[in-house]
Amino acid sequence: MPQPSDQTMKPATAAKKLGILLSAAPAEFQEGEVSRSELNALLTDPPEWLAELKRNGPHPRPVVAARLGVSIAGLARGGLDADLTTEEIKQMLVEMPAWLVTERATQAAVRDENARVKFERAAKAEARAKRERSAR
């Protein structure tokens, strides 16, 4: 029985999984399909062009948002729709515009609320398990 062929994906999908902008990748990456094994190889042993893109950008919005400590929606509320380089992100963190301070505070509040809810759910589950054990 022949080996199944390796599943392939479009370059845009591969770029998204790699956390890079497709438009910043080399032409041969943009034009061809990427197999799962090729993607895994890029992740485990990135070529210089990929390492350079990840290091210096330009970065896609999810990466920019993560590095700034805000949500993607927070970027939009702040009027930031361009892809930024690492240097531009660092500069923004130094300058700390008012919208960034607000969005970082909002993101911190969301994280705190998620942690509180997770703790409450765990406590309720533990109490339920304790009741079930004692009912036996």
Side-chain angles (χ1 to χ4, degrees), residues 43-66:
L43 288 168
T44 56
D45 187 25
E48 184 55 37
W49 67 264
L50 180 56
E52 180 68 22
L53 270 179
K54 287 180 156 284
R55 191 172 32 254
N56 297 319
H59 304 288
R61 285 183 308 162
V63 174
V64 172

Side-chain angles (χ1 to χ4, degrees), residues 67-68 85-95:
R67 289 187 177 195
L68 289 175
T85 64
T86 300
E87 193 57 41
E88 291 168 328
I89 293 169
K90 287 178 182 176
Q91 185 63 35
M92 191 165 288
L93 288 170
V94 169
E95 293 172 358

Side-chain angles (χ1 to χ4, degrees), residues 23-52:
S23 59
E28 60 269 8
F29 181 85
Q30 293 182 33
E31 294 165 0
E33 289 192 334
V34 179
S35 70
R36 288 261 179 219
S37 58
E38 290 170 335
L39 178 68
N40 289 337
L42 289 170
L43 288 168
T44 56
D45 187 25
E48 184 55 37
W49 67 264
L50 180 56
E52 180 68 22

